[in-house]
Amino acid sequence: MASRSRIPIIVLGGHDQRLSQMPAGVEDRHPLAGYKGVAVRIGGRPLIACVLERLEQSGLFAPIYIAGPQSVYAEHRGSATIIDVSGSIDETVRAGIEGAGRQNPGVALAVTTCDVLPEIDTLRQLMAQYHAGAPCDGFLPMIRAPEDHAALGASAYKPTYFVRPQAGDAPVEVLPCHLAVVDAAAFRMNFIYRFLRLIYRTRNRPIAYRRRAMLPAIIFELLFQDLRHLLGLRLPNLTWTVLSSGLPAARALKAGTITRAQLENAARRIFITARHRARYPDRRVLMPLVDGLSLALDIDTQEEAEAMAGTLSPH
């Protein structure tokens, strides 16, 4: 078991470059754009200040970084360090991972976003599970959805997925979690950055739509990366590895038949380098099913901000 020392954390403070497209049935919602970390205010304070306060009070994370523009976050950063970046989601994540990684070499990094307000007890329960399973390649929790979707309030439109805890178990409805811990050295990071951009473009859309929209771009990226491998005299097997693992996993996820272990194994084959898997065959990508809605309910719309007793800055 890893020591329970505090982990560096990156708060992604990028901006939505355009209004997100809402799914069918909720076109009347008002999606937010811009820097939500400062545009949304809770009790008169910028959301980013509230997020940083929760992270500090948990006692789990240090140092704390904000990946976002210095000009936007300088007066709200508190004791956090700003990694100055202004760009797309993949550019923001890249700057955060590389900047925090240079200052904390060989250390696992936590990543969260500026548009969720996590409860401190949830953070502590989640990170206790991480430490119990560390060292691992990645810790990517899934949040159990409430049986009554009305409990999600203004966020009831968000897409959910079904995962079976074990073979033979009934499927559990889950939401994505906005906190992860990664060993960046283990991941195919260039592929991850492109993958994130595709995911972000199709967020809040059903699995079938996302698969249709993303697959051509993913295949092109895989073939490009395999060409680079070939030119570098490495085995060009990335396309086969990702598609042979990813397509069956996506079908099973859509059908609600995939187990947690199958999802973890697919994620490791897709996102972790072959070299790292060979060097550390016993490590895993951990994707536990946990409680903690505060880490699932990111603020994408004006209605969600208001449901959190938030207001919107005129700027």
Side-chain angles (χ1 to χ4, degrees), residues 6-7 13 27 74 85 116 159 165 167 174 184-185 209 211 233 239 264 267 281:
R6 293 190 289 179
I7 293 177
E27 295 91 345
V85 58
V116 292
V174 298
Y209 174 90
R211 186 174 60 180
L233 302 180
T239 303
E264 291 174 336

Side-chain angles (χ1 to χ4, degrees), residues 221-242:
E221 174 64 20
L222 292 172
L223 292 172
F224 175 73
Q225 292 296 332
D226 268 342
L227 177 61
R228 293 181 61 185
H229 285 186
L230 188 62
L231 294 175
L233 302 180
R234 289 183 290 165
L235 189 64
N237 62 356
L238 183 58
T239 303
W240 166 250
T241 299
V242 171

